[in-house]
Amino acid sequence: MQHNNAFWHIVGDALGHRRKAPEGGWRTKSGTLTRVPSFIEDNLLYKEGPFLTYEEQLSALMEAGYALWDVLQSCEREGSTDSKIQMKSVAGNDIRGFCEENPSIRRICFASGASTATYFRKFNEDWLKCNQLSFAKNEATQKVFKKFANSRKRKRGDAPLARKSKKGGEQIELVVMQSVSPAFTRPWKNTPETPKASSMIYTDKRAFWFEHAFGIESPSGEQR
């Protein structure tokens, strides 16, 4: 985990702990000793701990009823940004099979935003067509899955989508989350690749994640 990636900090805020720095402290990609940015650190809900290592945080997340998996099984890329992934090299994980083996799953949240959701769409078109999935109403989700959401609305005469799948079970909701990547957390400077990088700050993202991923109330005054 990068020190400025918001994911595990948000998980800690949701589950009542704080991420412990790795052995040797937080490091930049070049190996320079650094710290968690103040705009994250100052807003953490459990500044005094308890502090959990990565392995302990992962266990806490699983024990709370959540699963964590990559959309892509493998790929080749230069650097760490999704835009550098070589499309011919990608292979998707069997997320549909995982959900069928674990029928209690009711929601899939794409932590890195539209990029991972787009790969999910690429590898799961047949699944998206069979009415076992529903789509959250936020703009990002509707944009990525517009083709499938609009198709269902036309078939139902623009009536609200039923929450039951054709097989009789509950639909799994797809949610394109506000990205927790450092490139999308203010106050990083906007770039041509991420023109809206500074549109959301840490507390904005936490409020969205609390509502859509964890189903809990945000601290007073935070906007969803």
Side-chain angles (χ1 to χ4, degrees):
M1 171 186 170
Q2 297 178 20
H3 65 289
N4 48 11
N5 184 302
F7 179 75
W8 286 109
H9 298 302
I10 292 175
V11 169
D13 281 345
L15 301 184
H17 57 257
R18 179 175 176 180
R19 176 64 181 272
K20 184 179 180 180
E23 186 175 351
W26 296 108
R27 299 276 176 174
T28 65
K29 292 181 180 179
S30 63
T32 304
L33 190 64
T34 187
R35 55 166 293 175
V36 174
S38 60
F39 64 87
I40 293 179
E41 174 110 27
D42 293 347
N43 290 291
L44 294 177
L45 300 181
Y46 300 91
K47 294 183 179 67
E48 305 304 319
F51 291 85
L52 301 188
T53 64
Y54 168 74
E55 290 76 14
E56 291 169 336
Q57 265 202 304
L58 190 59
S59 294
L61 188 66
M62 303 297 136
E63 290 171 3
Y66 299 92
L68 187 64
W69 206 18
D70 293 314
V71 169
L72 296 184
Q73 182 184 72
S74 62
C75 68
E76 295 178 7
R77 67 179 175 184
E78 296 180 9
S80 60
T81 59
D82 289 346
S83 64
K84 300 297 184 182
I85 291 175
Q86 298 178 25
M87 289 300 298
K88 293 183 179 180
S89 72
V90 298
N93 269 320
D94 184 14
I95 296 177
R96 182 176 187 176
F98 182 80
C99 290
E100 290 173 349
E101 293 175 1
N102 298 274
S104 63
I105 293 174
R106 297 271 54 84
R107 183 176 294 117
I108 297 174
C109 299
F110 299 101
S112 296
S115 60
T116 50
T118 300
Y119 283 116
F120 175 89
R121 185 184 65 194
K122 171 182 173 65
F123 291 108
N124 293 280
E125 187 165 342
D126 289 342
W127 193 18
L128 286 161
K129 291 178 179 177
C130 70
N131 202 37
Q132 294 178 7
L133 305 172
S134 65
F135 313 104
K137 295 181 179 180
N138 65 308
E139 181 180 356
T141 302
Q142 290 294 313
K143 183 176 181 179
V144 171
F145 298 106
K146 180 179 180 180
K147 169 185 173 182
F148 303 97
N150 288 346
S151 176
R152 292 188 196 173
K153 287 179 181 178
R154 286 194 296 270
K155 290 179 181 179
R156 296 177 180 274
D158 291 323
L161 292 178
R163 289 296 175 182
K164 293 286 186 178
S165 73
K166 290 182 179 179
K167 292 185 177 181
E170 292 290 330
Q171 290 181 318
I172 297 174
E173 183 183 45
L174 305 181
V175 189
V176 178
M177 305 297 287
Q178 291 179 4
S179 176
V180 291
S181 167
F184 291 88
T185 305
R186 204 165 79 179
W188 269 274
K189 183 178 180 181
N190 292 347
T191 66
E193 186 179 55
T194 57
K196 298 182 179 179
S198 65
S199 63
M200 292 289 174
I201 60 175
Y202 175 75
T203 51
D204 295 326
K205 292 178 181 290
R206 180 173 65 197
F208 187 91
W209 275 76
F210 271 25
E211 177 180 3
H212 294 280
F214 296 101
I216 58 179
E217 290 292 326
S218 301
S220 178
E222 290 189 0
Q223 300 295 317
R224 291 183 177 85

